[in-house]
Amino acid sequence: MVTIGEIVRVHGVRGEVKIISFSDVPRRFDELKRVTVTGRGGERREVAVRAARPTGEGYLLALEGVETLEAAASLVGSLLQIPLEQSPPLPEGQYYERDLLGMEVRTEEGTALGTIADVLPTGGNAVFVVRGSGGHEHLIPGTKQIVRAVDVPGRRMTVRPVAGLLEEEDA
């Protein structure tokens, strides 16, 4: 399952919910017919989407079977998920975060740096948190100058080290 949003509050008294989108797919919710709602306790249920409309910072959704303020309030904090196969393919050079997490990172010379533990969004490019053996952590900017190759099926990223990128704190 892929998490595409979170229910953050109730809207009105007829059961609509306000959601914040986690999706990079433009207008993801416009055509959404069904979604899995995963509660804070891990309980899941699949529901039909009756209506969706964009708001300034997210979407308002009307979900089948959620028609009162109380029913909607019980969903606040829940995640909205879809099956992985409903995610569209991305253009060349773009990757889903889920495809990068756990990926091995090596330099062009073959030196193992560790695995991608997190992806931090920034204004211009992502930053990959790479954790290696002994607790070493590197922050690798996701730029074309640094990231030289990404092999999703092979689970490997190759980076070009530049001055200051990989120096250890004790150096």
Side-chain angles (χ1 to χ4, degrees), residues 5-115:
E6 179 181 1
I7 298 173
V8 293
R9 67 178 172 84
V10 173
H11 179 80
V13 296
R14 294 198 173 121
E16 281 190 307
V17 291
K18 166 86 181 218
I19 65 116
I20 296 298
S21 175
F22 295 162
S23 177
D24 290 336
V25 177
R27 308 200 55 97
R28 155 75 77 191
F29 295 90
D30 291 354
E31 303 296 320
L32 192 63
K33 302 294 182 213
R34 298 195 70 71
V35 67
T36 298
V37 178
T38 303
R40 290 170 285 204
E43 64 283 354
R44 293 178 178 221
R45 67 179 172 142
E46 187 175 334
V47 297
V49 177
R50 291 186 293 131
R53 65 183 193 270
T55 65
E57 306 127 13
Y59 278 81
L60 294 177
L61 294 184
L63 302 172
E64 191 70 39
V66 181
E67 291 152 14
T68 66
L69 176 67
E70 293 76 20
S74 73
L75 299 178
V76 172
S78 296
L79 299 176
L80 302 177
Q81 299 177 312
I82 60 171
L84 179 63
E85 57 272 6
Q86 288 182 13
S87 295
L90 292 174
E92 176 93 19
Q94 292 185 14
Y95 310 95
Y96 286 110
E97 184 176 315
R98 67 175 181 262
D99 294 332
L100 300 174
L101 293 174
M103 183 176 281
E104 176 186 26
V105 179
R106 291 185 172 269
T107 66
E108 289 176 308
E109 295 77 31
T111 304
L113 300 177
T115 58

